[in-house]
Amino acid sequence: MLDSALSSERLREHLPEPGAWRPVPDVTDRAFWTAVHPATTAAMVDRAERLAGVGPWPALPASLWLDFARTGNRIRYQDPYFARRRRLAAAVLAACLTDDERWHDEVADGAWLVCEESSWCLPAHDESHGARNTHALPDVDNPTLDLFAAETGALLAWTYAVLRPKVEERGLGQRIVDEVRRRILVPQRTVDSWIWFGRRGHVGNWNPWINSNVLVCSLLLDSTREEIVTTVERAVFGLDVFVGGYPADGACDEGQLYWWRAGASLSECLEVLRSASGGVLDAFDLPLVREIGRYLHRVHIAGDWYVNVADGSAKLDADGASAHVLYRFGRRVGDAEMVAHARWLRGDGPLAESTTGVGRALLALADSDWASEPSADPPLVAQAWWPDTELLTARETGGSARGLFLSVKGGHNAEAHNHNDVGTFLVALDGHPVLVDAGVADYTRQHFSPDRYEIWSLRSAYHNVPLVDGYEQAPGKEHRAADVRCELDDTGARFDLDLAGAYPAEAGLLHWHRSVRLDRAGGQIVLSDRWAFSRVPGDVRSHLLASGAPVVLGAGALEVPTPGRTLRLSYDGAALDVEVERIDLDDRRLRGAWGDHLWRIALVVRRPTADGGYRLEIGAGRSCLANSAGHRA
């Protein structure tokens, strides 16, 4: 799909000579750096001060590397690993903005430490011995090019590009260049076997994520044009595989968290090539590329809340997101809503985010259009439908967070970072999620093992779907929705599907027809479930995961509190019993989204029959004077 714009012939004709692409002025251009808005400078230097003030640079001993193989815990190594890189990135920006020798020494300390690391990849990703998760330390002669090795390479490449006089003065310049070439550029040009590369077919977010960093490393540090051309040709091959495997509707089935390293990273790859060629190598006019860009703002609920599917978080990740990347993507594809969403994300804050992706910050600071872009409100689109991914979003009033917001998904149970959740739905009220998807805890080895679906937040029993005669949904692409239909108009949105195929045959389901409708005029969401079993079931129930502590008002109604109004659920109290269970959260990632608790509501059919059904009406209730205990605003 990218071949017409990025063919080998066009690459050879239009790629620059080594050293020609320098999109950000270096530290010696004091006119540029002192002209950066004072508030942005102050925010970035303050962050660098805070990170430098924590004490000595974090250590990464061998025993910490081996901890993952021994325990499956990823966090104990990753926390200091990322802390090093955050501190270095912040120091690079502070050094550019102030030209203070203190910051240049801080950069030298961090860059030296990173260059001395035996591996830049994470222990969970190491393939230096030919297979993942060995009990050995990494093989320094066979570096693994994973996501974070690539990000580390780009961090050092940008450091060299903008601080070259200072790092060379300290004797670090050639060391940085040599390490990036040895660990990033040579492996990218010589190894075809990594699954992310594209030789084996469809690839996920690893491909654009890695290539967005590899392209920067090559254009900033490679010494011959032939090296640059080879690197770019191989990157474009993989990007073409990535784009070719993307659904035609442009949806990211991993959710908004991963969009920032799937769709957004794709845009960075295309932007680097466009910029390096003076605008000639431009693939932004592909319709699919535009649809990929339009995903994020159409799954936005309000504030920093987004529809979360798969392992995607319900809250915006400040370290992973970049308002400027979204802005530039929107400008390139000509989408005003993307631009408005990006400008809203920036708000009154600094022009760039000071994260480990230092290139994102540098390019934002160098973009005069971004600096002068007027403030904007988020688009808050009325409704969107992705027919290939089978995802719906709809709100009561377009352009406003007030009222109800609904999302429903179909799909199958082998999606990227899959949860067993075919037919699940999410409901927000006044911009706050109420019936929710918990998301995923901090990753461990189990998340990528055959035991993945023993983790509670990935199981269908903890999503807003039925539990049928004790059976949960099963993993696998064959376990999918059927008879999917979506209808959208000014009055509302309706999603119909059959969930039976998501369950194992042993469940005895002939069909489970679910219909979810947002009625704008009535100000309510109506869920209708109708089922047929091949036998009389012993237990039929449907679960709802709630962000606040439910209050049962009596037979037929319950309320879930929010920071504003309650969400009221009405049902047939003669046919359904209600059970409520509090789920205590002890994981920092889950608690970061939801606080200390979630609640699981079970609507239990009192007298199950082979053929039956129920109806649930959802709408706004009374005002809440205060947040309920454990509820996170």
Side-chain angles (χ1 to χ4, degrees):
M1 298 182 73
L2 300 175
D3 188 60
S4 59
L6 305 176
S7 66
S8 293
E9 294 76 17
R10 287 175 61 79
L11 296 178
R12 291 189 173 276
E13 182 179 357
H14 298 293
L15 284 173
E17 296 294 328
W21 185 65
R22 291 293 181 267
V24 182
D26 74 12
V27 68
T28 62
D29 188 345
R30 298 316 303 160
F32 171 82
W33 288 106
T34 57
V36 172
H37 193 279
T40 294
T41 296
M44 291 192 162
V45 173
D46 178 69
R47 176 177 169 84
E49 292 280 8
R50 284 185 282 108
L51 292 177
V54 299
W57 288 78
L60 289 173
S63 58
L64 209 55
W65 174 280
L66 294 170
D67 182 62
F68 171 73
R70 292 168 174 168
T71 70
N73 183 288
R74 296 175 58 141
I75 300 305
R76 286 189 285 268
Y77 183 88
Q78 290 176 192
D79 277 357
Y81 171 98
F82 288 122
R84 279 187 174 187
R85 286 148 176 81
R86 282 193 296 270
R87 183 168 169 176
L88 174 57
V92 169
L93 294 167
C96 287
L97 290 162
T98 67
D99 200 21
D100 188 319
E101 290 301 312
R102 174 203 167 195
W103 291 118
H104 293 306
D105 283 345
E106 175 83 351
V107 169
D109 286 343
W112 176 260
L113 274 174
V114 172
C115 286
E116 288 290 297
E117 291 174 4
S118 293
S119 176
W120 288 348
C121 80
L122 299 183
H125 298 163
D126 180 39
E127 296 184 14
S128 64
H129 294 273
R132 282 195 184 177
N133 305 341
T134 66
H135 288 259
L137 292 169
D139 180 353
V140 295
D141 294 323
N142 292 287
T144 296
L145 180 49
D146 79 329
L147 302 171
F148 301 107
E151 286 217 332
T152 301
L155 169 58
L156 289 177
W158 282 114
T159 300
Y160 179 81
V162 295
L163 296 175
R164 181 173 179 176
K166 297 297 183 177
V167 296
E168 288 187 338
E169 179 182 300
R170 287 159 173 77
L172 260 176
Q174 194 59 48
R175 177 70 188 279
I176 288 173
V177 173
D178 290 345
E179 293 293 343
V180 174
R181 287 177 176 168
R182 181 178 70 85
R183 301 177 193 238
I184 307 300
L185 294 171
V186 171
Q188 191 267 357
R189 288 193 282 264
T190 57
V191 180
D192 293 344
S193 59
W194 289 310
I195 194 168
W196 63 262
F197 189 77
R199 297 293 188 197
R200 306 184 198 177
H202 175 62
V203 292
N205 64 57
W206 276 47
N207 186 279
W209 189 342
I210 291 174
N211 279 319
S212 65
N213 292 292
V214 166
L215 291 171
V216 164
C217 292
S218 178
L219 287 161
L220 293 179
L221 299 186
D222 264 330
S223 58
T224 71
R225 194 167 185 277
E226 188 59 33
E227 289 174 333
I228 292 174
V229 170
T230 300
T231 299
V232 175
E233 284 180 333
R234 288 169 67 83
V236 168
F237 171 85
L239 291 170
D240 206 37
V241 175
F242 172 75
V243 173
Y246 221 89
D249 58 21
C252 181
D253 64 2
E254 301 170 285
Q256 66 85 16
L257 175 74
Y258 282 100
W259 181 90
W260 288 105
R261 289 306 188 181
S265 289
L266 171 67
S267 80
E268 289 179 285
C269 294
L270 301 184
E271 179 64 28
V272 166
L273 296 177
R274 185 183 186 279
S275 171
S277 64
V280 177
L281 298 172
D282 189 344
F284 279 105
D285 60 352
L286 282 174
L288 177 55
V289 170
R290 182 174 186 270
E291 290 305 311
I292 290 172
R294 297 177 68 214
Y295 174 81
L296 185 73
H297 69 271
R298 296 194 292 168
V299 295
H300 181 217
I301 298 172
D304 55 0
W305 295 109
Y306 289 78
V307 172
N308 60 314
V309 295
D311 283 351
S313 174
K315 275 198 165 181
L316 189 73
D317 177 8
D319 281 340
S322 169
H324 177 251
V325 170
L326 178 62
Y327 166 79
R328 194 176 54 196
F329 197 170
R331 288 285 299 271
R332 295 291 179 245
V333 299
D335 192 292
E337 289 183 340
M338 288 174 63
V339 170
H341 192 67
R343 183 58 185 86
W344 168 80
L345 277 175
R346 189 182 103 197
D348 298 325
L351 292 173
E353 301 83 5
S354 177
T355 66
T356 54
V358 70
R360 288 181 164 185
L362 290 168
L363 291 168
L365 294 177
D367 188 342
S368 58
D369 290 337
W370 177 231
S372 61
E373 184 68 29
S375 60
D377 294 325
L380 300 178
V381 298
Q383 55 202 19
W385 164 240
W386 291 268
D388 301 292
T389 312
E390 298 176 356
L391 178 67
L392 164 72
T393 61
R395 68 179 72 242
E396 193 171 333
T397 305
S400 172
R402 180 73 175 174
L404 294 166
F405 177 95
L406 170 69
S407 179
V408 193
K409 75 175 291 290
H412 57 80
N413 281 334
E415 294 162 345
H417 292 284
N418 179 70
H419 292 199
N420 290 335
D421 62 353
V422 173
T424 196
F425 68 102
L426 311 178
V427 175
L429 179 63
D430 300 335
H432 189 86
V434 188
L435 302 182
V436 304
D437 183 324
V440 69
D442 277 325
Y443 281 147
T444 66
R445 181 167 51 205
Q446 185 182 359
H447 286 87
F448 303 94
S449 77
D451 300 327
R452 174 177 173 84
Y453 296 107
E454 294 179 11
I455 299 170
W456 71 267
S457 65
L458 280 58
R459 295 167 47 190
S460 71
Y462 292 87
H463 286 80
N464 301 331
V465 297
L467 182 69
V468 295
D469 218 7
Y471 289 95
E472 298 183 40
Q473 292 186 11
K477 195 168 186 177
E478 69 276 17
H479 295 292
R480 62 183 311 127
D483 300 330
V484 175
R485 298 183 303 279
C486 183
E487 300 174 6
L488 304 176
D489 58 33
D490 292 342
T491 67
R494 176 171 174 159
F495 191 113
D496 294 275
L497 71 167
D498 185 354
L499 310 185
Y503 293 83
E506 293 79 7
L509 267 181
L510 301 177
H511 67 72
W512 187 294
H513 293 303
R514 167 162 284 187
S515 175
V516 189
R517 177 170 56 89
L518 169 65
D519 176 6
R520 293 193 172 100
Q524 67 174 358
I525 292 167
V526 178
L527 177 141
S528 176
D529 279 347
R530 298 291 306 176
W531 64 80
F533 283 83
S534 60
R535 61 177 184 270
V536 176
D539 185 86
V540 176
R541 62 183 62 209
S542 197
H543 288 133
L544 303 171
L545 205 63
S547 60
V551 177
V552 179
L553 302 178
L558 63 86
E559 288 183 335
V560 181
T562 79
R565 298 181 286 176
T566 63
L567 186 76
R568 186 181 179 94
L569 285 68
S570 301
Y571 53 92
D572 183 354
L576 298 174
D577 291 322
V578 173
E579 298 174 1
V580 176
E581 168 194 3
R582 191 180 78 177
I583 302 170
D584 297 328
L585 303 178
D586 59 4
D587 173 81
R588 66 179 180 181
R589 189 171 177 183
L590 294 176
R591 292 180 71 169
W594 308 116
D596 295 334
H597 314 288
L598 288 170
W599 286 263
R600 184 169 66 160
I601 303 165
L603 300 176
V604 184
V605 177
R606 195 168 287 172
R607 289 175 290 277
T609 57
D611 295 277
Y614 58 81
R615 173 185 169 99
L616 179 64
E617 296 179 355
I618 304 169
R622 56 192 172 84
S623 295
C624 296
L625 297 178
N627 293 347
S628 62
H631 194 274
R632 184 182 179 92

